[in-house]
Amino acid sequence: MLLMFSNFVLVDSINEEGSVLLEFKLSLDDPNNNLHTWNQSDSFPCNWVGVSCANDHKVTSVNLHGLNLSGSLSPTICKLSFLTVFNISNNFISGPIPNGLASCQNLEVLDLCTNRFRDDFPTQLSTISSLKVLSLCENYISGVIPEEIGNLILLEELVVYSNNLTGMIPKSIGGLKQLKVIRAGVNSLSDPIPSEISECENLEVFGLAQNSLSGPFPKELQKLKNLTSLVLWQNLLSGDIPPEIGNFSRLELLALHANSFSGNIPEEIGKLTQLKRLYLYTNQLNGSIPQELGNCVNLVEIDLSENRLTGIIPKTLGNITSLHLLHLFENRLVGDIPNELSHLKELRKLDLSINNLTREIPLGFQNIPFFQSFQLSDNNLEGSIPPLIGANSNLSVLDMSMNNLVGIIPPHLCKSQKLMFLSLGSNKLSGNIPHGLKSCKSLIQLMLGDNLLTGSIPLEFSNIYNLSALDLHQNHFSGPLPPEIGQLRNLKRLHLSNNYFFGHIPPEIRNLVQLVTFNVSSNRLFGDIPHELMNCSNLQRLDLSRNWFTGHVPFEIGNLVNLELLKLSDNRMNGPIPTSIGKLARLTELQMGGNFFSGNVPFELGQLNALQISLNISHNQLSGTIHQNLGNLVRNHFT
């Protein structure tokens, strides 16, 4: 009997707090059995997964982060009167946030982030006066942030990003003197930023990105002397960036991009000596880049792209020896590229594209050891490409297209076998494709069009298996299209027009099943259009014009149902226009003029209702009458 009594005591020995936790668990689903240690046969729950206790076995913390739990949230948890930390983040718990959660009156940390709660902002939580951290991020919480939030006078962190919050930020938030972190991005908050936030004197992180906030930059924020991160990107903010920005002496991150700020970048920005990341891109800023920016010697990333900045690139940027990224593209900058930039030995990414920069590229860039991305396209640069570029770094992106560069393609661009994107088009480069580039297996896009390059398509290209775009148009290339081109099975764009290629299109073209654009116009290709080309069912643009092709158009061309452009003009093709062309419902441009096509104009052409750019079947040997539906098509789209 004594043994039986002893066993009975063992089974029912869990204390009251353990019973509360087991009751709380009843509302949860635990498919992975992560809470298997929650066992009523234990005396205390202090060794259960996610449970921590004080010395007197009172539960003080329940942390169930990332346990793949679902179900609903029960306010039973608040029966744990000594609970200070409750974290159920990164689960799949759904439903409303229960009103009863407000009875957890000793809570200091409440983290419900990354679940599936659907509810209005839980105003009832504003009665938990002990709360220091309130995290509701990545849920489906809607409505406004209530004025009552100002009652949480001990609050240090308010984390509510990635919800469906609307309305204005309550002015009462200025009463939260202990607040260090506000993260409320990715919502639909609107109206101006209230100046009262400047009263949160301990604020360190202020994040309101990706909302609909409007109005000017609040000058009053300069009072926030402890601010390290100011993140307001992708809102509707406008006006000047005020000179008071220079008073944020501890600022490390300033992200104001994707707004409508205008005016100059204030020279006071040079006072931010602790700044590590500066993002002002995609605004309407004008004027010159202030020389004083070079005083921010701790900067790691600067992005001022997509503005209306004018003047020269300051040489003082060369003082920022820790710089990893410098993006100044799509502005109106003039002058040369300062040689001082080429001395930035930590530089990884430099993009000065789409400006009006002139003169030569400094040779020093070829010696930067960590260089990964170098983009100078669409400027007026002259001279040659630094000959050792790529020899001393893991270069993955090089874009110098649309300049006035001369000389040869440097031989070491792919020495590291990391080069993925190379665009040197629209220059005056000459010579052959260097051997190192022919065997560059890492290449994904190779764009060399509109130069003075010579030679043939290298057979080694067949080993560049990841190549998705090959553009050699408008050069002096010659020779046949090698059968090995069929091994480039990932190729989506093949642009070889305006060269001196001759011979047949090889039947191996059938292997390029991902091909979207195929342009070999203005060459000296001859023979029939291979039936194998009709296997490239993803083709959207097919241009075989201005060659010496003969024979009939394959009837299977109607299988290329994704075609939007078809150009066969100015060849020596004959026979009838195949009726199957009428199946090409997406076709917007059809050019078949200047051949020897004969017979009637097929009435099926009148079914091409998407034709809007051009229809040309002139200068052939066609006969008969034009069917009414084709006449209607011409009148509707071309008159």
Side-chain angles (χ1 to χ4, degrees), residues 312-331:
I312 63 170
I313 299 173
K315 294 181 180 180
T316 55
L317 297 186
N319 299 335
I320 310 174
T321 56
S322 57
L323 202 60
H324 285 193
L325 179 147
L326 178 59
H327 282 180
L328 304 178
F329 64 87
E330 204 162 333
N331 279 289

Side-chain angles (χ1 to χ4, degrees), residues 69-105:
L69 304 173
S70 56
S72 61
L73 176 59
S74 169
T76 305
I77 198 73
C78 294
K79 293 180 181 179
L80 301 172
S81 55
F82 292 91
L83 189 67
T84 59
V85 175
F86 183 43
N87 183 347
I88 55 168
S89 61
N90 198 22
N91 283 290
F92 300 92
I93 301 171
S94 58
I97 297 171
N99 290 331
L101 206 59
S103 61
C104 290
Q105 282 299 304

Side-chain angles (χ1 to χ4, degrees), residues 523-539:
N523 280 286
R524 298 173 179 177
L525 300 170
F526 53 77
D528 292 346
I529 296 175
H531 289 265
E532 290 83 358
L533 183 58
M534 305 304 123
N535 192 49
C536 302
S537 58
N538 287 306
L539 272 172

Side-chain angles (χ1 to χ4, degrees), residues 239-258:
D240 293 346
I241 297 174
E244 287 82 1
I245 199 84
N247 295 332
F248 295 112
S249 58
R250 296 186 180 180
L251 204 62
E252 297 180 5
L253 168 61
L254 178 58
L256 304 181
H257 51 285

Side-chain angles (χ1 to χ4, degrees), residues 237-243 256 259-267 269 280 282-290 304 306-310 331-332:
L237 301 171
S238 59
D240 293 346
I241 297 174
L256 304 181
N259 279 287
S260 297
F261 288 116
S262 56
N264 295 346
I265 299 173
E267 62 184 38
I269 208 162
L280 302 180
T282 318
N283 278 288
Q284 299 168 21
L285 299 170
N286 51 41
S288 58
I289 300 171
L304 311 180
E306 295 181 304
N307 279 288
R308 302 170 183 173
L309 299 173
T310 55
N331 279 289
R332 301 169 184 176

